[in-house]
Amino acid sequence: MNGIPAADTIALVVFVLFFGLTIVAGSTVSHWKGWFSGRKKAPPAPHVEGHSGHDTEEWGLGGREFGAWVTWFLVGGDFYTAYTVIAVPALVYAVGAYGFFALPYTIIVYPFIFIVMPKLWKIANDGGHATAADMIRARFGSRTLELAVAFSGLIAVMPYIALQLIGIRTVVEALGFSGQIPLVIAFVSLAAYTWLGGLHAPALTAFIKDIMIYIAVIAAVTLIPIKLGGYGHMFDVMNSVVAMPDADHVMKAGQLMPYATLALSSALAAFLYPHTLTGILAAKSADTVKQNAVYLPIYTIVLGLIALLGMMAHVAGIDTTVSSMVVPYLFLKLFPDWFAGFAFAAIAVGALVPAAVMAIGAANLLTNNILPKSYAGVTTSRIAAFGVKLGALLCVMFLNAKFAIDLQLLGGVIILQTFPALILGLTKFRFSSTGMLAGWVVGTVVGLGMCWSDGLKPVHTLAIGGWSELVSTGLIALVVNIIVAGVISVIVPNRSVAVAAE
């Protein structure tokens, strides 16, 4: 590993201390959440069909009582994940500027949140809905479409949780553990944290995660350039490693279209996932959601700085074929062991917090929309969340993605197919449940078929006439979905609705 030192006992002790304290804090959150919030809990939402009761809502939505401060940490915590700290720098390390597509995606998404998500929050709050599938059933009156949306969310979140498990496994491997032990540690820590704490665990420990990440990132982007000769020198070295195509461009012509379409499709998919939507629905008001859309871009600044770690790894002489290890190796090489241990804990907590919300969001879908209502309850939700984590574990073991980030993008292809039913259903365009279901089926089959044929790559070669470009697979499938939904809605206009939130 080109002189990269192994972690010593000090790094391991510091890691166990911070990572362990976070797990304990989340697992015992029921004993101290009142002290943190400093206020009485809001009354439960009205009980309606499809709503599984106050205890389940308390575990799965935090009682819908989170204010602007907690919501900011929760939504940021489940939106900026191991994807941010491990996968994005790994992609930048491997392919250069193309890996920065995550930056415009996180800029595009916030106006979308500001305009759309308060409307969804109002619909969910007024109807007592806990999931996207709840809202779909209320809007279209179709049990089949409800199940389609629920299964999409359930399946899409598994490779995303798998990415978080990879994040935890990566830092445990960097601490000197080998074989399957790092993956076992990642899985058990996530399972215990989620089972005992529910949504309150990530909500009220997300601030720990963010503070730790900020400390690690600020130290890295300040001290590493000083050690490596400054940013100018680093960019010069990076240009020699990943050569610029010409003096005016940092990406090859063939990378521009996939860069733009991946950014757009990722932005459209970001808040359709069960975990990000759970963070929105757990807010106490629509104004809280709008406030967060204004302040969440702060995280985008941090994302840009974190992405630069992939470039810094090249300059520091990190040479590895396992791109997901570049950030841990960078910290091991350039920082004292105690700080490397702290940074590893920050990365692990940065994966633990969102993975818990993802599992809880998926469990909400399973208990609210897939299983019979007689099974609803906190215990069932906990078992469901555990089952989702098992599915994610299988994704880690059997999905052979070239880059860790491809797991998240695979989930995006699946969850994007719920966009027409959930988002376009808010408009005044009239779509039928039959049209929406047909669009979902065709879009999902087309998207997954292209992913499989391309070896789980998130882009597909689209050839029209003499024009040929790599385009986001999810975006292609979404366009097909919308076209089919529109055509079928005209042909079979049964059960059509036009719901626009007030």
Side-chain angles (χ1 to χ4, degrees):
M1 291 187 293
N2 286 334
I4 300 172
D8 66 4
T9 305
I10 295 176
L12 179 60
V13 170
V14 173
F15 172 83
V16 171
L17 176 64
F18 282 94
F19 189 52
L21 283 177
T22 303
I23 294 175
V24 171
S27 301
T28 60
V29 69
S30 60
H31 300 292
W32 56 272
K33 66 183 180 183
W35 171 82
F36 182 86
S37 61
R39 61 180 181 272
K40 296 180 180 179
K41 293 192 319 186
H47 182 83
V48 298
E49 183 183 357
H51 190 63
S52 54
H54 178 55
D55 289 341
T56 306
E57 182 173 283
E58 179 72 16
W59 187 85
L61 282 179
R64 301 180 195 257
E65 64 177 13
F66 298 146
W69 181 248
V70 175
T71 301
W72 187 75
F73 279 111
L74 176 63
V75 174
D78 63 45
F79 188 36
Y80 293 88
T81 66
Y83 167 93
T84 307
V85 187
I86 294 294
V88 172
L91 191 62
V92 171
Y93 176 87
V95 301
Y98 177 62
F100 281 89
F101 80 88
L103 283 179
Y105 131 53
T106 55
I107 294 170
I108 296 169
V109 73
Y110 295 119
F112 176 79
I113 297 172
F114 188 87
I115 295 169
V116 174
M117 289 301 149
K119 297 180 180 181
L120 286 181
W121 183 93
K122 186 177 185 303
I123 292 170
N125 189 70
D126 292 347
H129 306 312
T131 67
D134 284 345
M135 290 182 270
I136 295 301
R137 185 175 188 182
R139 185 180 304 149
F140 290 97
S142 171
R143 170 64 174 160
T144 306
L145 188 57
E146 175 193 14
L147 286 172
V149 171
F151 276 112
S152 292
L154 190 65
I155 295 170
V157 84
M158 288 184 185
Y160 212 157
I161 296 175
L163 175 56
Q164 313 315 311
L165 291 175
I166 289 173
I168 300 174
R169 182 187 68 180
T170 296
V171 295
V172 175
E173 286 178 345
L175 288 167
F177 293 89
S178 59
Q180 297 301 321
I181 294 176
L183 188 58
V184 171
I185 292 173
F187 179 79
V188 171
S189 60
L190 173 60
Y193 179 79
T194 310
W195 184 283
L196 297 173
L199 190 62
H200 280 290
L204 300 185
T205 57
F207 74 97
I208 300 175
K209 164 217 174 232
D210 287 344
I211 290 172
M212 292 175 66
I213 289 290
Y214 278 131
I215 291 173
V217 171
I218 291 172
V221 300
T222 303
L223 299 179
I224 292 177
I226 293 175
K227 292 185 177 183
L228 297 180
Y231 276 100
H233 173 68
M234 290 194 302
F235 278 105
D236 289 338
V237 172
M238 191 64 180
N239 288 338
S240 66
V241 174
V242 183
M244 295 171 60
D246 55 58
D248 298 320
H249 300 90
V250 295
M251 288 190 293
K252 299 175 183 178
Q255 292 179 322
L256 299 178
M257 183 61 72
Y259 179 94
T261 55
L262 280 176
L264 179 58
S265 62
S266 297
L268 295 177
F271 277 80
L272 303 177
Y273 285 101
H275 63 285
T276 45
L277 195 57
T278 293
I280 294 296
L281 300 186
K284 69 177 183 179
S285 69
D287 285 341
T288 299
V289 177
K290 287 184 176 180
Q291 290 172 17
N292 273 267
V294 173
Y295 297 124
L296 278 170
I298 294 173
Y299 281 99
T300 301
I301 299 173
V302 180
L303 172 60
L305 297 175
I306 292 173
L308 290 174
L309 295 178
M311 177 185 71
M312 295 176 189
H314 275 296
V315 183
I318 305 297
D319 185 8
T320 175
T321 57
V322 184
S323 59
S324 60
M325 295 296 295
V326 296
V327 172
Y329 287 166
L330 183 66
F331 277 96
L332 278 175
K333 186 166 186 177
L334 297 180
F335 285 98
D337 284 306
W338 67 267
F339 189 81
F342 174 83
F344 291 172
I347 294 171
V349 172
L352 183 72
V353 169
V357 186
M358 293 173 195
I360 291 166
N364 287 342
L365 286 170
L366 194 62
T367 55
N368 282 21
N369 307 109
I370 297 175
L371 296 176
K373 301 305 176 186
S374 58
Y375 287 93
V378 175
T379 301
T380 304
S381 296
R382 285 172 168 165
I383 295 172
F386 184 79
V388 170
K389 291 188 283 286
L390 279 177
L393 182 63
L394 294 176
C395 289
V396 175
M397 296 172 66
F398 296 109
L399 286 182
N400 188 25
K402 182 178 180 181
F403 298 109
I405 202 170
D406 289 344
L407 291 172
Q408 185 264 349
L409 294 171
L410 174 62
V413 172
I414 299 170
I415 202 65
L416 259 178
Q417 307 319 308
T418 67
F419 182 92
L422 185 63
I423 305 302
L424 296 186
L426 292 173
T427 69
K428 295 184 180 297
F429 294 103
R430 292 187 176 273
F431 292 94
S432 69
S433 60
T434 303
M436 286 297 188
L437 186 61
W440 174 83
V441 170
V442 175
T444 300
V445 171
V446 169
L448 291 181
M450 288 189 294
C451 282
W452 184 261
S453 65
D454 294 330
L456 299 184
K457 293 179 181 177
V459 291
H460 181 80
T461 301
L462 186 63
I464 302 175
W467 179 85
S468 178
E469 287 279 2
L470 287 171
V471 178
S472 163
T473 303
L475 201 60
I476 296 172
L478 176 61
V479 171
V480 172
N481 183 335
I482 294 172
I483 292 172
V484 171
V487 171
I488 298 299
S489 293
V490 172
I491 298 173
V492 188
N494 63 306
R495 303 170 99 173
S496 61
V497 295
V499 178
E502 296 296 334

